[in-house]
Amino acid sequence: MAYDKFEILKSTAVPLPVENVDTDQIIPARFLKATERVGFGDNLFRDWRYNPDNTPKAEFVLNNPVYKGKILVGGKNFGSGSSREHAVWAIYDYGFRCVVSSFFADIFRGNCLNIGVLPVQVSAEFLDKIFAAIKANPDTEIEINLPNQTITLLESGDQESFDINSYKKENMLNGYDDIDYLTKMKSEIQEFASARPF
Amino acid sequence: MSKTLFDKVWDSHVIRKINDGPDVLFIDRHLIHEVTSPVAFLGLKSRNNSVLFPEKTFATADHNTPTINQHLPVEDPLSANQLKALEQNAADWGITHWGLGHQKNGIVHVVGPENGITLPGATIVCGDSHTSTHGAFGAVAFGIGTSEVEMVLSSQCIMQPKPKKMRINVNGKLGFGVTPKDVALFMISKLSASGATGYFVEYAGDVFKNMSMEGRMTVCNLSIEMGARGGIIAPDEKTFDYIKGRLFTPKEEAWDKAMDYWKTLKTDADAVFDEEINFIAIDIEPMITYGTNPGMGTGISNYIPKAESVEGGVASYKKSLEYMGFHEGDKMIGKKVDFVFLGSCTNGRIEDFRAFASIVKGRKKADNITAWLVPGSHDVEAKIKEEGLLDIINAAGFELREPGCSACLAMNDDKVPAGKLAVSTSNRNFEGRQGPGSRTLLASPLVAAATAVTGVLTDPRTLLINN
Ligand code: SF4
C-alpha cells in the first residue's frame, strides 16, 4: 500500500479564489533542494504566505485561523507550470487530502492521483457556489464521497458529481499506486523491451 | 485506419490498455536531473526494487548548478547535497551521469538532442515539464512527476491515459525579425496558458517545415506553456542530418533499420484531430509578455490590453498587472529594464547566441543592464567560441557564463532581485520565478539583445539590417 485509503472526506475547506495558480507559487523552486520527502508543508505558498523577513502575511488565507480543513478550493487552471511533484507533497504535508477546482493542469492532476490527493473537478458554477458558501460561513462543511463520485455542500445540500476513471478510483479507495501495478508486469515489460529497435 | 504521427508513436509503445483507465506505456529514453530524482531513488530502495534498464536512463546536473567557477565546490550545502545524491544514485545503479564539470554536462533538454539520446519515434520522459522539447525530433516526449520517475526506474513504463490530439498549422513566411520564440509566444497568447490542456499538439505547415532544429526545439519546448502535454513535429531530412553521427545515435546497420522506421513517421493524409487550429505567419510580430503567465503576451509594438478585452477572470488579470507594476493601456516599448537573461532550455542553443550576437555586434551593453548569457551546454559553449561569437559578445561588454539552468528558475545563485525587471529568453514569467519579487518579460534572443544594448525594451527590427 502506497498511501492512505480515500473513501469519504467530510471537512471544512480553505478557499483560494485565484486563477492560474502555478506550481512555482505552490512551492517556489528554492525549496526544492531536499533529497527526502519531508517538511514541504512549511513552505506551501511560501511567497504568498510570508513576507521576505519570514513574518506571516496576515491577509493570506492560510494565515487566517477562520479557514481550515482538509480541502483546498482553488480557481481555474490550478497547478499549471512545472511538473514538480513537490507541489503536491507540500499540499499533502500541510494536511490537505483533496483539491477542488473548475480546471486542473494535466501533470498536476496526475501527480495528485499518484500520491493520494484527490483532485475534484467541478463546473465553474459549482465552484462559485462553494466560494460563496465558504464566504458566508467559513465553517461550511463539504463532503467528498469517492465511491459515489459526488461533492456536496452539506448545509445547502447542493451537490455535483465528478469524474475519475475506474482504475484510479480503485487505487484511491485501496491506497494502491501504479508502481504496485507495474511491478506485477515485469516479465511482460522485459519481453516488450527486447523487441524495441533502439 | 489513418493515424496521426502522435498515434503512431504512442500506440506502438502501449504494452497494455486498461479498461476505463490509463495505458501502460513503454519508455525508450529516460532523462533525470538532481531535483526531481532523489526521492524516486529513495522510493525504489524502500520498496526493494531495482533499476530495470539502467542503460535507458541518462543523468545530468543542471537546475542547482552555479554558472561561474564550476571548478570550485558548490557553496550552497543543499544544492551540493542534491548534486551528490544524483552522482551517487547514478553510480549505484550504473546510469550514465554527466555531473558538474563533465564535458557533456548541460541542461537536460539541450544535452539529450546533442548526444543522440533524443530520437524520432521514441518515447522520452523526464521529471521536468519542458521535456516537450524533444518532440522537435518526432518523439513523444513529456514531463512527469517524481512518482513516475520511480515507475520508469523500476519498470521502464508509466501509466497515462492517451491525450487528445490537436494540430496547429502555421503557413506562410515569417516576417523580418520574427523568430521561433515569437511563433510560440504568439500561439500561447492566442490559446491562453491553459488552452491546450489535455492535448498533445502536432505543429505543421510551412513555418515549421522551414524552421531549423533549434527553432523546432524552442517551439516544442513551449508547448507546456499553453497547457499541452507535449508538442511534436514530423521528422524530415533536417532531423536526420541533425542526429546522424551523434554519441548515442544508432550506427551503420542499426541506422539504416531505424531510418526505414523513421520515414514512416508522419500524419496520414486523412487522419483526424480532435482540434485543428490555423494561423498565418504574417500575423506574427516580435512578441513580449506583460503579465505573470506566458499566455499574457502581445506584439512588442502593442499596448497592454484592457481587462475587459481579455478572456477569463478580471480580478486575476488585475492582480497580475499589479504584481508587474504595469497598467492597462501601457506601451511596452521603452520600458526601462534592469536584467537581460539569454539562456535556458528554450533559448540556450547556438542559434540563439548567433541571433544575440547579430544585434550586439559593434554596439555596447547599456550601463543600466546586468546581463547573464548562459549557454545550454558545454557543447554550445564550445561552438560559441569556435564561431567567433565570444569575441563579438566580449567586445560589446558582455561576458559568457558556464552552462546550466541559471536564472530560468532561481534555484541556483543567479536570481533577479525583488522589483527588478528582466527580459528573459526563458519560458516562465510566473511571480517570483526568477527570484522572489522579480518581474519577467519573456522574449526572443533578438529582443533580449536589442534591450541589452539600449537599456529599455526595444523592437529588434529597429536595430537589424533588413536585406
Ligand atoms: S532551463 Fe528552466 S525550464 Fe529548462 S530545464 Fe532548466 S529550469 Fe527547467
Side-chain angles (χ1 to χ4, degrees), chain A residues 32-33 85 106 166 177 188, chain B residues 16 47 76 82 147 411:
Chain A
L32 306 184
K33 298 193 180 189
E85 198 169 293
D106 273 341
S166 48
D177 69 9
E188 204 176 330
Chain B
R16 190 186 283 179
R47 292 188 200 231
D76 177 348
Q82 276 194 333
S147 297
M411 246 193 114

Side-chain angles (χ1 to χ4, degrees), chain B residues 62-63 107-109 128 130 221 344-345 405 408-409 427 433:
Chain B
D62 53 6
H63 284 61
I107 304 173
V108 61
H109 310 308
D128 191 286
H130 292 98
N221 173 281
S344 87
C345 59
C405 292
C408 176
L409 92 167
N427 40 58
R433 170 78 178 185

Side-chain angles (χ1 to χ4, degrees), chain B residues 26 44 55 61 70 98 158-159 167 373 410 419 430 445 454:
Chain B
F26 185 80
L44 193 74
E55 70 279 14
Q70 290 188 346
W98 296 333
I158 58 164
M159 302 180 67
R167 180 160 61 188
L373 276 50
F430 298 152
T454 58

Side-chain angles (χ1 to χ4, degrees), chain B residues 30 49 82 85 102 106 119 166 172 196 206 231 267 289 330 345 381 467:
Chain B
H30 182 209
N49 279 336
Q82 276 194 333
H102 192 287
L119 297 172
M166 178 187 287
D206 312 335
T267 291
T289 65
D330 276 6
C345 59
E381 185 185 23
N467 45 19

Side-chain angles (χ1 to χ4, degrees), chain A residues 29 82 84, chain B residues 33 62-64 107-110 126-131 133 221 224-225 341 343-347 376 404-412 426-428 433:
Chain A
S82 153
R84 59 188 70 159
Chain B
H33 61 80
D62 53 6
H63 284 61
N64 265 331
I107 304 173
V108 61
H109 310 308
V110 177
C126 172
D128 191 286
S129 55
H130 292 98
T131 310
T133 311
N221 173 281
I224 182 76
E225 305 309 336
F341 171 49
S344 87
C345 59
T346 309
N347 284 122
C405 292
S406 183
C408 176
L409 92 167
M411 246 193 114
N412 44 64
S426 49
N427 40 58
R428 288 188 173 141
R433 170 78 178 185

